[in-house]
Amino acid sequence: MGRRFRLDLAVAVVVVGGFWVPPALTAGGARAVAGLALGALAGAAVLLRRRAPVAAVLVAAAVTVAGGVLGVSQDPMLAAAWCLYPVAAERAGRARGAAVGVVCGIAVLGATVAMPEGATRLFVAAFVLGGAWLLGTAAGRQARAAEALERARVQAEVARDVHDVVGHALAVIAAEAGVARMLPDADEVELRQSLADVEGHARGALQEVQTLVRALRDLPVPVAPARERLLAVLAASRAAGITVDERIDGDLPEPAGTVVVRVVQESLSNALRHAPGAVCRVQVTARADAAVVEVHSAGGPRPAPGTGVGLEGLRERVGLARGEVRWEEPAAGEFRVLARVPL
């Protein structure tokens, strides 16, 4: 028995035992039997409000009105209000006018037709039903907002991963293909070697995409050590035609290691796309509390302007790791990325 069902059962017992049983027993005879039967229906509606919320509201309201007409119920629409809450939460922001009309209609009907006390019962019924609707609507809107934020977070995460994986792979493949095409008097062996390099990087990119898909499906993902992946990124960049000098000191534990790899990968991808032929210096130092990354590119043509999507995605990724990243142009034709990722 779940917690929600126990809560509904407690509410059903309180409503039926407090507002139906005493007046039904006081009425006696056939009215007592009818009152107990109607009270049982009201309790059943409360218990079934999550499975059939609209039907539960209608049943609870109908039996409450009937009980008031027969004088065997003193329920001020509590059962109907309890059943109305999930309806409001599910349909928050939709059919607002119709829902308010239904609530007011039930309140007026219950107060004027079924309940002799009139104004007092009208106020109580309207307050109970209106409060249930407002609380349910607020909860529903909060749930929708949380779902929207989660969708936006997942979309941003997927966009960053796709950009990092696919963007870097395509930049390397395009650069290698361009180098092979521009080779003067290349013989068959050289062309075959270039094609083999392109094929190898394409297969590596496909493997990374498959790893990304498995991660999105919450499947177990084998992850190579960060240092090994970092060396693979450096090797691929060299094969694509840029000169890379690196210095890597210390271990890079996860998850900070993946962030460091992405920082270097995006920096070298930018050099490949916007400043082909540049000379890049990569320095990664793992200290006791953080990994410090510096990627400096210079010597190529003046970097062409990009969209900035990759760098902004990098800022988001490092920010999620509670780190810091910045970039600058020390001089014409130069670009430097500096990052600090907590370990």
Side-chain angles (χ1 to χ4, degrees):
M1 184 183 297
R3 182 178 62 86
R4 290 183 175 183
F5 182 80
R6 290 197 299 270
L7 178 60
D8 290 340
L9 180 60
V11 172
V13 170
V14 170
V15 171
V16 175
F19 296 99
W20 284 86
V21 174
L25 295 179
T26 302
R31 292 170 59 200
V33 175
L36 294 176
L38 292 174
L41 286 176
V46 170
L47 295 177
L48 296 175
R49 71 178 188 131
R50 300 185 191 277
R51 295 185 178 181
V54 176
V57 172
L58 296 177
V59 170
V63 298
T64 301
V65 170
V69 171
L70 295 176
V72 294
S73 173
Q74 295 177 346
D75 179 13
M77 290 292 171
L78 288 177
W82 189 255
C83 296
L84 182 64
Y85 179 88
V87 177
E90 180 184 357
R91 306 187 178 189
R94 295 179 293 172
R96 184 180 306 171
V100 173
V102 171
V103 170
C104 294
I106 293 175
V108 172
L109 183 62
T112 58
V113 176
M115 302 178 183
E117 287 80 359
T120 301
R121 294 293 179 87
L122 172 63
F123 174 79
V124 173
F127 177 80
V128 170
L129 292 171
W133 178 260
L134 291 177
L135 290 175
T137 300
R141 289 177 178 172
Q142 185 176 10
R144 303 292 187 278
E147 292 173 359
L149 286 176
E150 179 62 14
R151 282 196 301 271
R153 185 193 67 79
V154 171
Q155 289 173 353
E157 183 176 352
V158 172
R160 286 193 299 270
D161 287 335
V162 170
H163 178 275
D164 291 345
V165 173
V166 179
H168 176 73
L170 291 180
V172 170
I173 291 172
E176 286 189 334
V179 170
R181 183 173 59 86
M182 298 300 294
L183 285 175
D185 302 327
D187 57 21
E188 182 179 353
V189 176
E190 291 175 324
L191 291 176
R192 285 184 178 275
Q193 182 60 44
S194 297
L195 290 176
D197 291 339
V198 170
E199 180 186 9
H201 291 305
R203 290 185 182 277
L206 179 59
Q207 184 176 1
E208 287 199 60
V209 170
Q210 291 172 343
T211 300
L212 174 60
V213 171
R214 291 180 64 86
L216 293 175
R217 293 182 176 274
D218 292 329
L219 298 174
V221 178
V223 179
R227 188 184 187 93
E228 180 180 330
R229 286 179 287 150
L230 187 56
L231 293 176
V233 169
L234 298 175
S237 300
R238 291 191 183 98
I242 63 174
T243 302
V244 182
D245 297 324
E246 83 274 3
R247 180 178 177 181
I248 305 174
D249 298 325
D251 296 328
L252 297 171
E254 295 297 336
T258 295
V259 179
V260 171
V261 172
R262 296 306 188 203
V263 171
V264 175
Q265 187 179 56
E266 175 60 24
S267 302
L268 295 180
S269 295
N270 283 337
L272 281 171
R273 286 191 294 262
H274 307 305
V279 176
C280 298
R281 185 182 72 252
V282 177
Q283 183 169 349
V284 178
T285 305
R287 300 174 180 171
D289 59 339
V292 178
V293 184
E294 178 181 354
V295 182
H296 180 270
S297 62
R302 185 178 182 84
T307 62
V309 173
L311 290 176
E312 286 304 317
L314 194 60
R315 189 197 301 274
E316 294 173 0
R317 185 185 295 279
V318 176
L320 289 173
R322 304 194 177 203
E324 301 174 352
V325 63
R326 60 186 176 89
W327 44 85
E328 58 190 16
E329 295 185 48
E334 297 185 15
F335 198 76
R336 179 187 291 132
V337 177
L338 300 168
R340 181 182 180 277
V341 183
L343 296 180

